[in-house]
Amino acid sequence: MTTRTPTKTKTGGLRRMLAATALGGVLLSATAPLAGAAETEIRALGYTSNLYLWNMEEEFYGTTFPEAAGDLISIEAVPHDLAGLKGPEVLSMLQDGTLQLAVQNMSYMAGEDPRFEALDLAGVTLTNADAKKATDAYKPVLARVMEEKFNTHLLGIAPLPSQVFWCRDEISGLNDLEGKKVRVFNSTLSDFVTGAGGTTVTIPFVEVIPALQRGVADCAVTGTSSGNTARWFEVTDYLYPMNVGWSMVFWAANKDLWDSLSEEQQALLSDQYGKLEAEAWAVQEEQDTDAVSCSTGGECKLGVKAEMTLVPVSDADMEKHATIISDYVLPNWAERCGADCTKEWNETVGAALGIEAPLP
């Protein structure tokens, strides 16, 4: 059988097929490799095209993976925004085989199952190291849930830079969020902002800048790097770097596709995505430090230079932060997830971090 050289990252074919999916109901489900086939072609959905994670993925799909895979597997990838997808639909599309392999923000899937919020409860982990401890403890739970409930095989989990507050008008600390309209993108962030006395508004990332311009929102939460890259500093003057999450992302494959692969192909994908995951954990810290510095007039190597005011996070702010977590974030999530789910979280994430969520 004739084999083909693995292709580098191509966007046109997948984009056209995704367009066909939307217009004509054409699915992207994988066909099982023929017996003895030398190569399997997989279509992948990548992260947002103007953010650094896609830059990492583009290198991965275009160079790193093909060099490791030889003629065993080739992957064709396109960013999800160029494919016309917003994000929350990715899990269901992986589940039914419309997508073969994809990356997306984990908390976007919390409407399907509250356990997708479990690693990103607002403000619970404040450092990369603690987020890694929590992830290592809970990853087997998510892998099981994704396989049993969503027909999806988990390949990796990593954080984006810390989620912080970008405010249009002057603030001096956490108390100044009281009464303000704050853009959030998941339930646990809503719990935190409510605990701080703010009013939450849910706005897609691409609509935040006009929302801030029109006064639909006074402040908005997003990552240090993504806000800088998207030039939120053009509509906000105050950066308040209180960490309220990581916007954790996952890479996963449709399980029917996964089960159709040989053991050698599965081992290759597990190994390569494990390396991509590890790289993303390391890059997160570098991106965080650089993005805050770039946005607030400091040294700038990776991001866009700006002159925002950096609002210090005081000890009093952190005391209130802890109260919000114990009074709002943990109990509200526990209520959404249920007693068995909360108990499992306490035995995994809670045990790793030395904290406990109240049983509902």
Side-chain angles (χ1 to χ4, degrees):
M1 180 175 289
T2 302
T3 62
R4 289 169 290 178
T5 302
T7 58
K8 292 195 174 186
T9 305
K10 300 177 288 182
T11 62
L14 183 56
R15 196 183 316 170
R16 286 192 296 273
M17 287 188 175
L18 282 168
T21 299
L23 296 175
V26 179
L27 299 182
L28 294 181
S29 54
T31 56
L34 297 174
E39 182 186 274
T40 297
E41 294 184 350
I42 297 175
R43 304 181 192 98
L45 193 72
Y47 203 62
T48 310
S49 61
N50 66 344
L51 300 180
Y52 79 88
L53 188 60
W54 167 249
N55 294 335
M56 291 175 56
E57 289 182 305
E58 194 168 28
E59 174 69 19
F60 176 75
Y61 292 123
T63 302
T64 307
F65 186 83
E67 289 178 353
D71 62 2
L72 195 61
I73 300 176
S74 67
I75 299 179
E76 179 183 5
V78 64
H80 76 88
D81 55 321
L82 297 187
L85 300 179
K86 295 181 179 179
E89 71 272 49
V90 165
L91 183 63
S92 64
M93 293 176 76
L94 276 171
Q95 184 177 0
D96 68 16
T98 303
L99 292 174
Q100 297 177 330
L101 195 153
V103 62
Q104 196 45 260
N105 297 79
M106 189 165 288
S107 66
Y108 284 2
M109 317 304 163
E112 300 288 340
D113 192 309
R115 284 172 288 196
F116 285 110
E117 285 184 307
L119 289 179
D120 210 11
L121 297 178
V124 168
T125 54
L126 295 175
T127 66
N128 180 289
D130 279 349
K132 188 67 167 63
K133 287 180 188 176
T135 300
D136 289 343
Y138 204 69
K139 196 174 185 180
V141 175
L142 286 172
R144 185 194 74 234
V145 169
M146 293 177 74
E147 179 169 323
E148 294 177 355
K149 189 174 178 180
F150 298 102
N151 193 41
T152 301
H153 179 81
L154 181 64
L155 288 166
I157 300 173
L160 295 179
S162 53
Q163 304 297 296
V164 298
F165 295 89
W166 301 69
C167 291
R168 187 183 56 193
D169 301 322
E170 183 176 2
I171 67 168
S172 60
L174 188 56
N175 286 337
D176 289 340
L177 294 181
E178 185 170 355
K180 285 191 165 48
K181 300 185 292 291
V182 182
R183 177 262 182 175
V184 299
F185 54 86
N186 60 39
S187 296
T188 187
L189 282 173
S190 182
D191 292 336
F192 188 95
V193 170
T194 299
T199 300
T200 62
V201 288
T202 302
I203 302 170
F205 183 83
V206 295
E207 298 175 13
V208 171
I209 286 180
L212 287 163
Q213 288 173 323
R214 297 194 309 267
V216 175
D218 302 307
C219 299
V221 176
T222 198
T224 55
S225 177
S226 53
N228 174 269
T229 303
R231 306 180 76 90
W232 281 19
F233 52 77
E234 294 181 350
V235 293
T236 58
D237 291 322
Y238 296 86
L239 183 65
Y240 180 52
M242 172 171 276
N243 186 351
V244 287
W246 304 95
S247 196
M248 304 290 289
V249 300
F250 69 86
W251 290 274
N254 169 264
K255 190 173 182 298
D256 295 331
L257 167 70
W258 181 259
D259 290 343
S260 76
L261 300 176
S262 68
E263 290 184 3
E264 184 181 9
Q265 289 172 323
Q266 290 178 349
L268 170 70
L269 287 169
S270 295
D271 177 67
Q272 290 300 304
Y273 276 94
K275 291 177 179 177
L276 178 62
E277 176 189 60
E279 181 185 3
W281 278 95
V283 169
Q284 181 274 322
E285 291 189 288
E286 181 183 12
Q287 287 281 341
D288 238 358
T289 301
D290 183 77
V292 172
S293 181
C294 287
S295 295
T296 56
E299 184 180 1
C300 189
K301 296 179 180 178
L302 304 173
V304 184
K305 190 79 169 177
E307 297 291 339
M308 296 181 71
T309 297
L310 183 65
V311 180
V313 179
S314 68
D315 291 342
D317 286 349
M318 292 310 299
E319 289 177 10
K320 184 172 182 177
H321 177 281
T323 300
I324 291 172
I325 289 173
S326 63
D327 292 354
Y328 290 86
V329 173
L330 289 176
N332 287 1
W333 175 78
E335 190 67 34
R336 291 193 293 274
C337 215
D340 290 344
C341 168
T342 304
K343 183 174 182 291
E344 187 173 49
W345 188 91
N346 285 335
E347 292 170 348
T348 52
V349 177
L353 300 177
I355 58 178
E356 186 171 320
L359 294 177

